[in-house]
Amino acid sequence: MTRQKPDVMLNGWVEQTPAYRNNIIFAIAQIISKTLVVAELEVRKLRHDPYDLLIRGVQPALWLLVFGQVFTRTRAIPTGNLSYLEFMAPGILAQSVLFVAIFTGGMTLIWERDLGIVHKFLASPIPRAAMVLGKALGCGVRCLSQIIIIYGLALLLGVKLNLNPLALLQVLVIVLLGAGCFCIFSLIIGCLVKTRERFTGIGQLLTMPLFFASNAIYPISLMPKWLQFISHINPLTYQVDALRGTMLVNGSSLYGFNLNCIILLLTLIGLTIICGKLYPRVAM
């Protein structure tokens, strides 16, 4: 029995989906394009408050100018062939990225929910993963300004930075990966707590332990065993290690740039899957 063709031509929206749209390549292309759209919307927000980028640079500047200068004179922390200020500079860049990402992702999500923007996004055909990755990419672009601030201060303080174009490109990659991880972690918190006041408290509770349980301002070898274990599962440790090997002329990496990138990328993928599942809860 043959199927009779309709007398009226079908409109485009009721036509059968072409076969190529069902393959994985098309799905990946759609996620990438939608991610870039969401990221563009996030970056456009900087036009309304561009001075926020400068304000975010005050805290790392104080760490370098005060904390770094003092501990360089004391020589209390063994840093190998690096001065303490050189050892500390990559850690302060990672700290700056951490703070910007944590207090940008979840807080922005809660504001958008209160304004009804999240509901519109959830009603659109944009994949949840693209929404999450778009915000992470937008946060990464926002964090690029911290590279300029930290590099400028470090050069003024006499830190020997590696200004090779390949090294600068590697720093950009690590900053984007680190910002993405912590932004999505912040989005997960925003999906769970749903209020600005509670998010602020939890954000402040988490940022300092993440910072101090890493190799940002002292080597892991100086930590007690239990803190070394936490440091090894802390993504910030691998971000700092990668930055320390690429930013500095005499810098070295314990784990290697490739391994650090793989760990950060796997963390990013895992957090994206979790956040994609939790994202619809924001509208509840």
Side-chain angles (χ1 to χ4, degrees):
M1 184 176 181
T2 59
R3 184 177 179 182
Q4 186 177 1
K5 295 184 178 180
D7 297 332
V8 182
M9 293 296 294
L10 294 173
N11 294 326
W13 63 276
V14 294
E15 289 180 353
Q16 292 183 351
T17 302
Y20 72 89
R21 292 192 177 183
N22 296 323
N23 59 43
I24 189 171
I25 297 178
F26 179 79
I28 294 174
Q30 284 293 301
I31 291 178
I32 292 175
S33 63
K34 297 298 191 301
T35 297
L36 293 176
V37 170
V38 176
E40 181 188 2
L41 294 175
E42 293 296 316
V43 173
R44 284 185 180 183
K45 296 176 182 178
L46 292 175
R47 295 186 303 176
H48 301 288
D49 190 14
Y51 298 104
D52 180 64
L53 299 178
L54 295 176
I55 296 173
R56 297 287 185 181
V58 173
Q59 185 174 15
L62 292 176
W63 275 90
L64 282 176
L65 294 173
V66 179
F67 192 88
Q69 293 280 63
V70 170
F71 273 77
T72 297
R73 295 175 181 272
T74 60
R75 303 181 185 274
I77 299 177
T79 56
N81 61 339
L82 299 174
S83 68
Y84 183 72
L85 195 58
E86 290 175 333
F87 178 87
M88 184 185 184
I92 297 305
L93 175 56
Q95 180 220 39
S96 179
V97 171
L98 168 68
F99 276 64
V100 172
I102 289 290
F103 289 102
T104 297
M107 186 65 74
T108 302
L109 180 64
I110 295 173
W111 274 106
E112 290 179 348
R113 186 209 57 190
D114 294 340
L115 295 174
I117 299 175
V118 172
H119 299 74
K120 296 178 181 179
F121 271 108
L122 291 174
S124 69
I126 300 177
R128 304 293 181 261
M131 295 181 188
V132 175
L133 290 174
K135 286 187 172 295
L137 180 58
C139 180
V141 174
R142 183 186 291 264
C143 289
L144 295 182
S145 63
Q146 304 304 307
I147 299 178
I148 300 174
I149 295 172
I150 299 300
Y151 265 66
L153 286 172
L155 287 173
L156 289 175
L157 294 173
V159 175
K160 298 177 182 178
L161 296 176
N162 185 0
L163 300 179
N164 184 282
L166 178 59
L168 293 175
L169 180 61
Q170 290 175 328
V171 169
L172 291 177
V173 171
I174 290 298
V175 167
L176 289 175
L177 285 174
C181 289
F182 294 113
C183 177
I184 297 176
F185 181 60
S186 175
L187 290 173
I188 292 174
I189 298 174
C191 291
L192 296 175
V193 300
K194 299 183 181 180
T195 61
R196 292 188 294 272
E197 295 78 12
R198 187 173 299 175
F199 175 86
T200 301
I202 294 177
Q204 292 175 345
L205 179 65
L206 292 175
T207 49
M208 297 312 293
L210 283 171
F211 175 57
F212 286 111
S214 73
N215 55 349
I217 56 176
Y218 36 69
I220 296 178
S221 58
L222 297 181
M223 302 178 184
K225 295 297 182 181
W226 64 270
L227 190 57
Q228 289 185 16
F229 173 77
I230 296 176
S231 178
H232 285 134
I233 61 175
N234 183 359
L236 189 66
T237 296
Y238 302 98
Q239 183 184 4
V240 172
D241 185 67
L243 290 175
R244 192 164 285 143
T246 55
M247 279 183 63
L248 306 175
V249 173
N250 299 319
S252 60
S253 172
L254 292 176
Y255 310 110
F257 180 80
N258 293 333
L259 180 59
N260 288 321
C261 284
I262 291 172
I263 292 174
L264 290 174
L265 182 60
L266 292 177
T267 303
L268 180 68
I269 294 172
L271 292 174
T272 300
I273 294 172
I274 296 173
C275 190
K277 298 293 184 182
L278 294 175
Y279 207 86
R281 293 181 50 140
V282 184
M284 296 179 182

